[in-house]
């Protein structure tokens, strides 16, 4: 069974603590988790792009499979991007990706 892709308009926030390239959860700014959809594990998910505000070039697409308040459970390095370490302050944004249109 295919998972249902969820989305939210203008959902964007910041990472509040560093994560490593193998982290499976991330914490966003207090109270901003509600800007994002609430996926049901095994049924739905949404996409988030992580962007370094310092470098501006570094990006990683992750799939969010669960959200509890301001904590997102993620699957790393999707759609040809690589899992990376991220510092607090990185941008966390629900964006449409090429994979959205290409069925990824």
């Amino acid at each position: 069974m295919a998972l249902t892709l969820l989305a939210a308009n203008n959902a964007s926030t910041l990472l509040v603590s560093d994560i490593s390239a193998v982290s499976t959860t991330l914490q966003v700014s207090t109270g901003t988790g509600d800007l994002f959809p609430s996926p049901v594990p095994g049924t739905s998910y949404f996409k988030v792009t992580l962007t370094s505000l310092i470098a501006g070039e570094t990006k990683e697409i992750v799939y969010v499979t669960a959200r509890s308040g301001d904590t997102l459970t993620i699957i790393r390095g999707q759609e040809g991007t690589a899992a990376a370490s991220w510092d607090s302050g990185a941008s966390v944004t629900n964006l449409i990706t090429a994979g959205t249109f290409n069925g990824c």
Side-chain angles (χ1 to χ4, degrees):
M1 175 172 82
L3 299 178
T4 301
L5 177 60
L6 306 174
N9 290 327
N10 305 313
S12 184
T13 187
L14 300 176
L15 190 65
V16 294
S17 58
D18 299 351
I19 61 170
S20 73
V22 296
S23 297
T24 59
T25 61
L26 61 83
Q27 185 83 21
V28 297
S29 297
T30 302
T32 61
D34 288 341
L35 297 172
F36 296 88
S38 294
V40 176
T43 302
S44 56
Y45 73 107
F46 65 93
K47 300 178 182 190
V48 160
T49 301
L50 301 171
T51 307
S52 171
L53 298 179
I54 296 169
E57 299 282 327
T58 305
K59 297 188 183 343
E60 178 184 354
I61 296 170
V62 301
Y63 292 175
V64 180
T65 58
R67 181 179 64 79
S68 178
D70 299 323
T71 302
L72 310 180
T73 301
I74 57 175
I75 301 173
R76 307 298 302 272
Q78 299 300 301
E79 299 184 31
T81 64
S85 295
W86 293 92
D87 294 332
S88 63
S91 174
V92 179
T93 309
N94 180 214
L95 297 173
I96 297 296
T97 66
T100 302
F101 294 104
N102 297 328
C104 294

